[in-house]
Amino acid sequence: MKAPTITSAPQKTGVTETSTNSTYGLPVSFGVGVKIGLSDRWSVGVGANYSILTRQFYGKYTDVDKNIDIHSDIRNTLHYIGIPLNAYYDIVDKDRVNLYAYAGGTVEKCVADAYHVLSDSIYHRDNVDGMQLSANVGFGVEFMLGKHLGLYIDPSVRYYFDCNQPKSIRTVQPLMFGFEMGLRARL
């Protein structure tokens, strides 16, 4: 008789979080948008956003090819490119100031999932599949800088759906208050 063989899953190069505590940085987004009027009070807006999410945790970095196992504090930085789409309703629309309510959503793609092993200055990147989807509602104010260009401030409540994205403040706390600011061109 032959003894049974025990096989274990092969190790792979990458980062494993070994603690349950993560410290999260404040998410930061930059964006530009275009707002297209549909009627006197209704408009639709679309744009492009760039977001940075950071966190730090204790974990293990493994490099199978170099036979390395390092336990260290690790900094994780996620970079997202997104396309927001919102419907706007103008509550007050004066020559230089527009107060409005809005609702919509955003589709984002993680373009970089970077890890920095702090004890050894090792950098590692992972690929991220899929998209991050979110929905939002809020009020905003836009100050017109010219006939077709405005500076906007949009406080909102946003919910990030479970889309199998890397761990971040969005996956741990999906309902968040947001504050966006940017430039918007009116067509």
Side-chain angles (χ1 to χ4, degrees):
M1 285 180 88
K2 186 176 178 186
T5 57
I6 299 173
T7 59
S8 62
Q11 281 193 337
K12 64 179 186 170
T13 298
V15 173
T16 305
E17 187 172 355
T18 59
S19 71
T20 57
N21 297 328
S22 289
T23 304
Y24 298 95
L26 184 66
V28 177
S29 293
F30 300 95
V32 293
V34 176
K35 190 174 179 181
I36 302 165
L38 302 176
S39 69
D40 288 344
R41 296 232 180 236
W42 287 97
S43 56
V44 72
V46 66
N49 285 345
Y50 171 71
S51 299
I52 302 170
L53 305 170
T54 60
R55 74 180 176 114
Q56 189 165 320
F57 60 91
Y58 189 79
K60 180 174 84 166
Y61 171 73
T62 303
D63 187 330
V64 175
D65 296 331
K66 295 179 182 176
N67 198 25
I68 295 175
D69 262 342
I70 300 171
H71 294 267
S72 172
D73 284 325
I74 298 171
R75 184 176 307 127
N76 179 216
T77 305
L78 299 166
H79 299 266
Y80 281 90
I81 300 291
I83 300 173
L85 178 62
N86 291 305
Y88 297 88
Y89 179 77
D90 293 337
I91 299 167
V92 175
D93 192 9
K94 300 290 184 188
D95 289 339
R96 292 280 186 208
V97 177
N98 180 16
L99 178 66
Y100 53 86
Y102 66 96
T106 302
V107 175
E108 293 177 285
K109 173 66 178 162
C110 184
V111 294
D113 182 10
Y115 296 90
H116 178 198
V117 180
L118 299 176
S119 67
D120 287 44
S121 293
I122 294 172
Y123 295 91
H124 174 75
R125 288 183 175 253
D126 277 340
N127 292 326
V128 177
D129 294 328
M131 301 286 204
Q132 174 68 67
L133 304 175
S134 64
N136 64 287
V137 295
F139 288 94
V141 62
E142 183 176 6
F143 302 99
M144 296 308 295
L145 303 175
K147 186 175 180 183
H148 297 288
L149 185 65
L151 172 70
Y152 70 93
I153 301 169
D154 287 351
S156 66
V157 176
R158 181 175 298 273
Y159 184 80
Y160 292 93
F161 297 99
D162 183 4
C163 298
N164 199 27
Q165 294 296 293
K167 185 175 180 180
S168 71
I169 190 67
R170 293 176 175 178
T171 60
V172 172
Q173 182 179 324
L175 182 63
M176 299 175 63
F177 290 101
F179 183 83
E180 289 188 20
M181 185 170 129
L183 296 175
R184 183 180 292 134
R186 285 190 179 194
L187 300 179

